[in-house]
Amino acid sequence: DLILLDWMMPGISGIDVLKILHQDRQTADIPVIMLTAKAQQKERELGLSVGARTYLVKPFSPLELMAMVQEMLG
């Protein structure tokens, strides 16, 4: 129903995962929340431009994350 995706992962970046997800019709419409320590505006724009629905910068409040998840799935 929803994907929580970190930008920085071993082996493949979250950006590359987003690109792969959006190329496949079965996964293209799954909402993605990008979780990352990358807080620069250009990085935020990149994450959103490749398909993240929203972008949450670490550290973040668990309540903030839960609110985002509920809003997307609501």
Side-chain angles (χ1 to χ4, degrees), residues 42-62:
K42 65 181 181 174
E43 294 160 338
R44 181 182 304 266
E45 290 171 2
L46 176 60
L48 296 173
S49 74
V50 296
R53 290 266 176 95
T54 192
Y55 193 95
L56 192 55
V57 177
K58 298 175 189 177
F60 54 83
S61 157

Side-chain angles (χ1 to χ4, degrees), residues 2-65:
L2 173 85
I3 296 171
L4 300 176
L5 182 61
D6 199 328
W7 184 311
M8 296 180 286
M9 302 183 297
I12 187 170
S13 77
I15 295 296
D16 290 334
V17 172
L18 270 173
K19 290 175 182 177
I20 292 166
L21 290 170
H22 285 283
Q23 291 173 357
D24 186 330
R25 289 189 333 191
Q26 291 183 321
T27 57
D29 293 327
I30 298 172
V32 175
I33 298 175
M34 178 70 74
L35 308 174
T36 184
K38 293 182 175 280
Q40 297 293 320
Q41 183 62 29
K42 65 181 181 174
E43 294 160 338
R44 181 182 304 266
E45 290 171 2
L46 176 60
L48 296 173
S49 74
V50 296
R53 290 266 176 95
T54 192
Y55 193 95
L56 192 55
V57 177
K58 298 175 189 177
F60 54 83
S61 157
L63 293 175
E64 183 180 13
L65 176 59

